[in-house]
Amino acid sequence: RTPSHQLPVFPFENQDSNQKENAIEERVSAELFARAERAGASSPTAQRNYGFVDDIAAAGLLLAYLAFVSVSEKGSIDAITINRLVMGTFKDDTTGLRDYCACDERWRKGVTILDMDDGWELLRAMTQSDWRSRPTASSCLNHPFLRNA
């Protein structure tokens, strides 16, 4: 019996580290390819490309996280809230997202940060629901918001 204060052991406890890593990679890959298929990526090339732009969306969420959490009132916004607002409630509507965030005095500094150099446009491009239209990593890095940071 595992004491209640200890986390359960990962199910690969009897495997060497290479086997564990391979099993984890296979599980992550299977989940990614399943999401890619649900998003309409049917060929292996499209599924691979989906993986790249899925990372762009995650980077967009990180961008929003950094813009808000670091300057907002402590505890007023977190990663779960940002994900819900950006990818759910205001999906593809950064104008609505901006207006919503500007109404909360605790988040106004984050709004001001993304107001600089079209930060909201970069966030919209990186997290848009049409994964085929997301920018490349290179174009994100060359965007004025990041280039002038």
Side-chain angles (χ1 to χ4, degrees), residues 18 52 81 112:
N18 286 338
F52 293 135
T81 302
T112 302

Side-chain angles (χ1 to χ4, degrees), residues 4-86:
S4 60
H5 66 278
Q6 289 183 348
L7 295 174
V9 177
F10 199 56
F12 308 109
E13 64 184 30
N14 295 326
Q15 298 175 352
D16 68 35
S17 64
N18 286 338
Q19 288 175 315
K20 289 178 191 177
E21 287 177 24
N22 290 340
I24 292 169
E25 285 177 24
E26 287 175 19
R27 177 189 264 164
V28 169
S29 294
E31 290 173 10
L32 175 64
F33 288 132
R35 279 199 332 267
E37 282 185 16
R38 286 192 301 273
S42 54
S43 73
T45 301
Q47 290 173 348
R48 186 195 59 169
N49 291 341
Y50 178 86
F52 293 135
V53 296
D54 194 49
D55 290 344
I56 296 295
L61 290 172
L62 180 59
L63 175 80
Y65 181 86
L66 293 172
F68 280 98
V69 174
S70 62
V71 297
S72 296
E73 181 180 307
K74 186 174 182 172
S76 69
I77 192 165
D78 59 14
I80 294 169
T81 302
I82 289 169
N83 186 43
R84 179 178 43 82
L85 291 172
V86 173

